[in-house]
Every structure is written in structure tokens, then in C-alpha cells.
């Protein structure tokens, strides 16, 4: 009788352990949000830029979104640069036919100029 009681007890334990619980599958990991590749914008340093002011860079002003990379392309016959008045960015010298870029990571208004020809001015507004 003790053996029979042991078998019944064992069977009852197995059934209660298996039948009373439920299995919940783990939820899948959230799909990572891809990092935006950003957008690009081009500013041309126009021919004869050193004798111009607000028309030396085209377009001027330039309105972009945060994360946009701006590329300045020098279409003039002399070297220029683009340097923020607040020194938050500087392209360095850009030889004729060459370009330089900067990615804007924060919103704001960025007035810039050519340190070689300070009369050349432009504005990038980042929203």
C-alpha cells in the first residue's frame, strides 16, 4: 500500500507541475530604429565670390534640418573657406574645384564668412 500511495503521490505531483502552469514565450527584442543617414545640401562658392557679399555663397540663406551635411563647392578661381562667426565650424581652405563639408548636429542660426575674403558672408539656419 505504501508503494501504491507513493506512485499516486508521484503522479499527482507530475500532473500538478505540468498542468497548472502556462508557458509564455519571451517577446522578441524590439527592432532597432535605424540611424538616419541624414540629408545633404550643397552650397556653391560662385565665380568672382571675393568681390561679392551675400551673393558669394549660393544659396544664401540655406535652411536645413538637424543632421544635414552641407558641402561647400568652390567654383571660383581662388581659394576660399567657410568659417562660422561663432567658430562652431570651419571648413579650412577650399581650393578652386574642391569641396569641404560639415554636418550640423544642433539647431540654430549659423552666420559664416570667408576668413580670406571677410566680405563674403552666408547663413545656415538649422531646424
Amino acid at each position: 500500500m505504501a508503494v501504491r500511495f507513493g506512485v499516486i503521490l508521484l503522479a499527482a505531483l507530475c500532473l500538478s507541475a505540468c498542468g497548472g502552469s502556462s508557458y509564455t514565450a519571451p517577446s522578441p527584442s524590439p527592432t532597432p530604429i535605424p540611424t538616419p543617414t541624414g540629408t545633404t545640401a550643397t552650397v556653391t562658392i560662385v565665380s568672382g565670390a571675393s568681390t561679392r557679399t551675400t551673393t558669394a555663397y549660393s544659396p544664401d540663406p540655406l535652411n536645413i534640418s538637424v543632421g544635414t551635411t552641407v558641402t561647400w563647392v568652390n567654383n571660383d578661381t581662388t581659394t576660399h573657406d567657410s568659417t562660422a562667426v561663432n567658430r562652431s565650424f570651419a571648413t579650412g581652405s577650399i581650393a578652386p574645384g574642391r569641396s569641404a563639408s560639415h554636418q550640423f548636429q544642433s539647431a540654430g542660426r549659423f552666420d559664416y564668412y570667408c576668413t580670406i575674403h571677410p566680405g563674403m558672408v552666408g547663413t545656415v539656419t538649422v531646424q
Side-chain angles (χ1 to χ4, degrees):
M1 177 127 167
V3 173
R4 188 184 289 171
F5 179 75
V7 171
I8 294 171
L9 181 61
L10 182 62
L13 287 173
C14 288
L15 287 175
S16 67
C18 295
S21 66
S22 64
Y23 174 76
T24 303
S27 60
S29 298
T31 303
I33 299 171
T35 302
T37 57
T39 56
T40 60
T42 301
V43 173
T44 300
I45 300 172
V46 302
S47 180
S50 60
T51 63
R52 300 172 182 245
T53 57
T54 59
T55 59
Y57 298 99
S58 180
D60 180 45
L62 175 65
N63 297 306
I64 60 171
S65 300
V66 170
T68 299
T69 298
V70 176
T71 300
W72 285 266
V73 178
N74 187 352
N75 287 337
D76 199 5
T77 57
T78 189
T79 299
H80 298 287
D81 69 1
S82 299
T83 301
V85 171
N86 69 3
R87 301 290 187 200
S88 61
F89 74 88
T91 61
S93 295
I94 309 169
R98 306 290 287 190
S99 64
S101 300
H102 175 74
Q103 185 177 42
F104 287 85
Q105 297 291 337
S106 59
R109 177 184 164 136
F110 300 89
D111 295 315
Y112 65 95
Y113 68 106
C114 176
T115 61
I116 303 165
H117 309 98
M120 295 171 52
V121 295
T123 300
V124 175
T125 302
V126 184
Q127 300 173 339

